[in-house]
Amino acid sequence: MTASTGTTTLSGTTAARASGRRRGAPSWLASAVLALIGLCFVVPLSWLVLASLDAEATYETQVPSSFSLANFTEILTPEQTFGPLLNSVILSGGSAVITVIAAVLAAYPLSRFNTRFNRPFLYTVLFGTCLPITAIMVPVYSLFVQLNLLDSLAATTFFMAATSLPMAIWMTKNFMDSVPVSLEEAAWVDGASAMKALWHVVVPLMRPGIGVVFIFVFIQAWGNFFVPFILLFSLENQPAAVSIFRFFGQFGTVAYGQLAAFSILYALPVIVLYVLVSRVFGGSFAMSGALKG
């Protein structure tokens, strides 16, 4: 009886080890694939950091013979960095604010009122998200010429907000659908109008979702090269996404060290915005405890 139990235990241990080996092989394979994917991100970032600290940087990833901040001091001028970054903040921040306000107003009737036009309208909005920006730039450029709006920072901001609006409406509607209608009904009973209920009840409850939409639109506008390159041609109005092109000189010469230093400074505002938004709007929806029963 004892021998039989020992044999059973031994066979069970052997089976567990075999099962562990079977599970171990895919685990090692997954780790190798993840490590390879990680290298694809680490190598370019390593070049960016090392080249920014190398006064004689090239396109190769190498440790500089002597670390220097000369690339940063060279580009920290109003014409080279501060002016373009300010233009980027105006373009991206303005586009994000306009888009979020318009998206909330557009998503509210789609979320709260069921009509036969909801689905066709949403499909039309979805079609708008699929249009490539290059397909509409020719008529947009002609319109800007006729209205004398070329090289206008404000007009470009409104156009970039309009291009981001379809996806923002989709995202905002989904976030708004998760806010219970009963909370608005309670506000209506207390005498609030639909707009008051929207701004004082619905919007505060979906602040994390609004933060997500804001960051999404801001990052899209921040990295947009094509639209500002076409509509803004003076150096004073060009954002950082376009001015970075200045580091690519004539005859194929590239200022690699300054390009890397500018790229690091270019990425900092987005990181700061992400941290601020995650702290202000962070956490889950604030609806817990708002409903009883």
Side-chain angles (χ1 to χ4, degrees), residues 91 95 144 149 152-161 227-228 231-232:
L91 274 177
S95 300
F144 269 58
L149 293 176
S152 169
L153 210 56
T156 307
T157 301
F158 275 97
F159 174 68
M160 293 176 70
V227 173
L231 300 179
L232 301 172

Side-chain angles (χ1 to χ4, degrees), residues 78-140:
E79 298 81 12
Q80 194 85 334
T81 300
F82 299 126
L85 283 180
L86 178 62
N87 292 335
S88 290
V89 171
I90 294 173
L91 274 177
S92 306
S95 300
V97 170
I98 295 170
T99 302
V100 166
I101 294 175
V104 169
L105 293 175
Y108 184 67
L110 294 172
S111 174
R112 292 299 187 257
F113 304 106
N114 293 320
T115 68
R116 59 178 179 174
F117 301 107
N118 280 14
R119 192 174 293 276
F121 181 79
L122 285 173
Y123 284 139
T124 304
V125 170
L126 183 62
F127 175 75
T129 62
C130 302
L131 283 176
I133 193 67
T134 51
I136 60 174
M137 276 313 294
V138 173
V140 167

Side-chain angles (χ1 to χ4, degrees), residues 8-77:
T8 303
T9 304
L10 183 60
S11 61
T13 304
T14 305
R17 287 177 179 175
S19 175
R21 283 196 295 270
R22 284 196 298 271
R23 287 196 302 268
S27 175
W28 279 104
L29 182 61
S31 300
V33 172
L34 289 176
L36 184 62
I37 295 174
L39 277 178
C40 295
F41 288 93
V42 168
V43 171
L45 288 177
S46 301
W47 176 85
L48 199 67
V49 174
L50 294 175
S52 67
L53 300 174
D54 188 358
E56 300 176 353
T58 64
Y59 62 89
E60 296 178 344
T61 304
Q62 57 186 4
V63 179
S65 56
S66 62
F67 290 93
S68 168
L69 295 177
N71 292 321
F72 289 96
T73 55
E74 189 74 24
I75 65 168
L76 285 177
T77 61

Side-chain angles (χ1 to χ4, degrees), residues 157-175:
T157 301
F158 275 97
F159 174 68
M160 293 176 70
T163 58
S164 303
L165 193 55
M167 181 58 75
I169 291 175
W170 267 89
M171 296 171 68
T172 307
K173 178 187 176 299
N174 290 331
F175 286 121

Side-chain angles (χ1 to χ4, degrees), residues 255-267:
Y256 290 105
Q258 296 179 16
L259 174 64
F262 184 83
S263 300
I264 291 176
L265 296 176
Y266 176 67

